[in-house]
Amino acid sequence: MSGTGSRDGTSQRRWQRGDQMLWTYTNPTHPGLYDQRPVTVIADDEKHLAVWLESGTRMLHQVLADGSGIRTADGPARFGAPRAQGLKRWQGPGIVAVFQPGADYSVWYFATPSGRRDSFYINLEEPFTRFDRGILTSDHVLDIVVDAQGRYQLKDEDELEFARAAGMFSDEKAARIRSAADSAIEDIRAWTFPFDSDYPDFRPDPAWPMPELPAAATWDFES
Ligand code: MG
């Protein structure tokens, strides 16, 4: 696993605020390719792991075999067509991401015109595991967006169907993902942690250096 390191005896340690680590998505349909984001740890305790992704961070992402963006493929090919490893910079503003042990979604905080990070992106994914240099999970395609007024909306239901048709998920797994989305919506309505946290007002420490990909990371296309 070049670029992610290996699991070993240190894999269960907690990180300290200011540590740098690798927020990593594997993709069982495209083994050996990663979405990997070097990030800075904000907090790591029994309840949650919070990380900061700085705008402009160089990160690994997946592209089609010819280097074009995955979203240029339509239908099931968006998930089933051969892929390659890409490198890009995180173009958007910095985000806070919160992971909870055993949870099948992470919560990303995006800034809104108010200046607060009070728009939420709920990314459905496998509960995270730790490895020596970061965390591993895999994406479940379906997402939920919540605006600053607390209004929520499912996103990419059509893509979940494409992914199922491409063989990325079984019928049963796709049904479990939809039901995980229903549970996440219940959490939003109940405004449980981390929605009720003060992360919308988080400010990164200006002294934190920009985290880098591992020196051993490789890619086929850079954009
Ligand atoms: Mg997603």
Side-chain angles (χ1 to χ4, degrees):
M1 293 179 65
S2 81
T4 62
S6 58
R7 292 160 195 268
D8 63 19
T10 66
S11 63
Q12 295 309 310
R13 77 182 174 96
R14 292 196 190 282
W15 287 281
Q16 302 297 312
R17 184 181 176 88
D19 284 351
Q20 297 183 346
M21 53 91 100
L22 300 167
W23 167 15
T24 308
Y25 290 90
T26 59
N27 185 333
T29 309
H30 302 280
L33 300 180
Y34 305 101
D35 283 276
Q36 186 165 66
R37 304 161 181 184
V39 291
T40 304
V41 173
I42 301 168
D44 185 14
D45 58 28
E46 311 71 38
K47 190 156 117 175
H48 79 308
L49 167 68
V51 301
W52 169 246
L53 175 61
E54 180 73 46
S55 183
T57 302
R58 275 157 46 102
M59 56 188 274
L60 297 179
H61 72 133
Q62 295 172 43
V63 293
L64 296 177
D66 67 357
S68 57
I70 286 163
R71 284 177 177 270
T72 63
D74 278 327
R78 186 169 293 179
F79 296 94
R83 290 184 176 184
Q85 189 67 70
L87 174 86
K88 66 173 181 180
R89 287 183 187 276
W90 180 258
Q91 297 291 346
I95 60 169
V96 174
V98 169
F99 308 83
Q100 299 171 87
D104 43 21
Y105 63 84
S106 60
V107 181
W108 309 355
Y109 297 71
F110 285 88
T112 67
S114 72
R116 303 185 73 227
R117 301 178 204 286
D118 55 2
S119 171
F120 304 92
Y121 190 96
I122 290 99
N123 194 65
L124 295 170
E125 61 194 31
E126 285 295 313
F128 77 88
T129 59
R130 293 167 187 260
F131 70 106
D132 56 339
R133 302 190 64 177
I135 57 167
L136 295 172
T137 176
S138 60
D139 190 60
H140 284 170
V141 177
L142 196 60
D143 310 296
I144 305 164
V145 288
V146 185
D147 70 15
Q149 284 71 46
R151 293 176 299 220
Y152 55 85
Q153 192 179 346
L154 267 179
K155 186 172 164 289
D156 296 339
E157 285 177 283
D158 55 338
E159 291 209 333
L160 179 61
E161 176 50 28
F162 296 157
R164 190 203 58 74
M168 182 173 168
F169 304 124
S170 65
D171 293 358
E172 185 195 19
K173 178 77 173 178
R176 281 206 302 275
I177 293 169
R178 281 190 207 92
S179 114
D182 291 341
S183 302
I185 286 170
E186 283 174 30
D187 294 344
I188 295 161
R189 294 169 71 113
W191 213 245
T192 55
F193 184 85
F195 304 107
D196 64 350
S197 73
D198 54 11
Y199 283 119
D201 296 311
F202 171 79
R203 293 276 182 273
D205 185 333
W208 283 346
M210 177 85 81
E212 298 282 351
L213 285 165
T218 57
W219 51 89
D220 307 302
F221 297 96
E222 182 165 355
S223 55

